[in-house]
Amino acid sequence: MIKVAMLSFWHVHANDYAKQVEGHPDTQIVAVWDELPERGQAEAAKRGVSFYSDLAELLANKEIDAVVVDTPTNLHRDVMIAAAKAGKHIFTEKVIAPTLHEVNEILNAVNEAGVTLTVSLPRLNPTYTLAIQEIIQKELLGQITLVRTRLSHNGGISTNENPNGWLPEHFYNAKQCGGGALIDLGCHPMYLTRLLLGLPEAVSASYGYVTGREVEDNAVATLQYANGALGIVEAGFVNAFSPFVIEVHGTDGSVLYSDHDGRVLLRTKKLADASTQWVAYENGPEAKPSAFDQWVAHIQNGTKAVENIELAVDLTKLMEASNRSVATKQQVRLDSLNQ
């Protein structure tokens, strides 16, 4: 049994991860720490486990094997380095950290300690992502020229029930979050674009502030590739009915996915039945286990989440470049980021 401590319930997904720990046959929650003691005490009491007001004291407990980190993003570096040095395996909400320099500091500590780190990048694992990857690998689209991905919701929109929207107010705290809609929701379309098109040379981004908060609630980032291909990443907190969308376009065909109908649609010159009309791409690969289940398996098998970490590192590069692009009002090359 892997004994897990929950480190903060700041993130909106913290309770979801706690449920995954509790629902897995090989993991159990044994302790809670939170940067807000009152919140942490309530969550610990709810689960009948110990609350620690002192993170160092919790990490010194040798009976704790692993931690789930859901702190404010700006605390990730210090919390994860401390956890790694204490020999705890780490599962964390994206992003690893707001800057590449902080990510490299965390990875150095993880590698020196020999612990397993896995980042929650959940949209890598569904059937639709794997089917689109398979289509690309079969070269059914020819040379890829454009990937467009979009994820948006209405969390910032005022309603009678939630005058400030349903997102917690701290999700608009620039210091804690490292940004707004792009670093929160836009993470998912960003790492999917990176997965499907590779790492770009440069990024330019534009942010909108529809609700007037200190972080963006409407965002677009454009990824520039050496071969002329483009990636377009869109995210927002101010859209009532915007479906999650992936589009991949190439010289010989296109593939579309939208969760409004849950179908992967293909049109390509390379298949007779798909050359004149859109066809549903069926019988694709089965979904992969969740990121949490993968983390547990890596701990048990003594393996590392190599691809997961590679994509998570690149995700931070792309987010840092996007934020810098908005701040400087110019395109930012990834090779200009501080290592």
Side-chain angles (χ1 to χ4, degrees), residues 92-251:
T92 186
E93 177 60 84
K94 45 69 182 166
V95 293
I96 299 178
T99 68
L100 178 60
H101 182 71
E102 290 174 280
V103 167
N104 286 334
E105 290 181 306
I106 292 167
L107 293 184
N108 287 338
V110 165
N111 292 333
E112 286 177 11
V115 297
T116 293
L117 169 67
T118 302
V119 184
S120 181
L121 305 177
R123 291 180 187 265
L124 295 177
N125 306 313
T127 297
Y128 58 77
T129 300
L130 303 178
I132 293 170
Q133 281 187 280
E134 185 173 85
I135 288 167
I136 293 171
Q137 289 162 1
K138 289 180 177 179
E139 300 184 347
L140 295 179
L141 307 183
Q143 179 184 342
I144 306 303
T145 56
L146 184 119
V147 172
R148 173 180 173 259
T149 51
R150 176 172 180 80
L151 183 60
S152 187
H153 61 49
N154 62 351
I157 298 175
S158 176
T159 64
N160 290 333
E161 298 79 13
N162 296 292
N164 295 317
W166 55 260
L167 275 177
E169 192 59 33
H170 60 249
F171 262 52
Y172 305 105
N173 185 304
K175 180 179 178 182
Q176 291 184 25
C177 300
L182 193 69
I183 201 167
D184 177 48
L185 277 186
C187 276
H188 302 290
M190 189 71 86
Y191 65 68
L192 287 173
T193 302
R194 156 64 184 87
L195 176 75
L196 300 172
L197 199 50
L199 195 64
E201 287 190 327
V203 175
S204 57
S206 296
Y207 294 168
Y209 300 84
V210 176
T211 61
R213 266 97 167 193
E214 67 173 337
V215 296
E216 81 281 358
D217 52 25
N218 209 15
V220 177
T222 304
L223 284 55
Q224 180 77 51
Y225 292 80
N227 67 352
L230 295 172
I232 302 170
V233 174
E234 304 170 5
F237 294 156
V238 287
N239 301 285
F241 301 112
S242 177
F244 169 60
V245 173
I246 305 174
E247 301 178 11
V248 184
H249 303 283
T251 53

Side-chain angles (χ1 to χ4, degrees), residues 249-260:
H249 303 283
T251 53
D252 291 323
S254 295
V255 60
L256 312 176
Y257 173 80
S258 173
D259 63 8
H260 87 276

Side-chain angles (χ1 to χ4, degrees), residues 222-303:
T222 304
L223 284 55
Q224 180 77 51
Y225 292 80
N227 67 352
L230 295 172
I232 302 170
V233 174
E234 304 170 5
F237 294 156
V238 287
N239 301 285
F241 301 112
S242 177
F244 169 60
V245 173
I246 305 174
E247 301 178 11
V248 184
H249 303 283
T251 53
D252 291 323
S254 295
V255 60
L256 312 176
Y257 173 80
S258 173
D259 63 8
H260 87 276
D261 64 3
R263 295 195 300 166
V264 175
L265 297 175
L266 173 66
R267 188 164 180 183
T268 172
K269 299 176 183 178
K270 296 194 172 184
L271 296 175
D273 62 337
S275 61
T276 59
Q277 61 182 342
W278 292 96
V279 298
Y281 189 80
E282 298 172 332
N283 303 316
E286 293 185 6
K288 292 181 180 178
S290 72
F292 179 83
D293 288 347
Q294 291 180 37
W295 176 59
V296 173
H298 283 305
I299 294 171
Q300 293 172 327
N301 298 326
T303 53

Side-chain angles (χ1 to χ4, degrees), residues 79-100:
V79 169
M80 285 197 264
I81 288 176
K85 288 183 175 180
K88 313 304 184 189
H89 302 291
I90 304 166
F91 182 81
T92 186
E93 177 60 84
K94 45 69 182 166
V95 293
I96 299 178
T99 68
L100 178 60

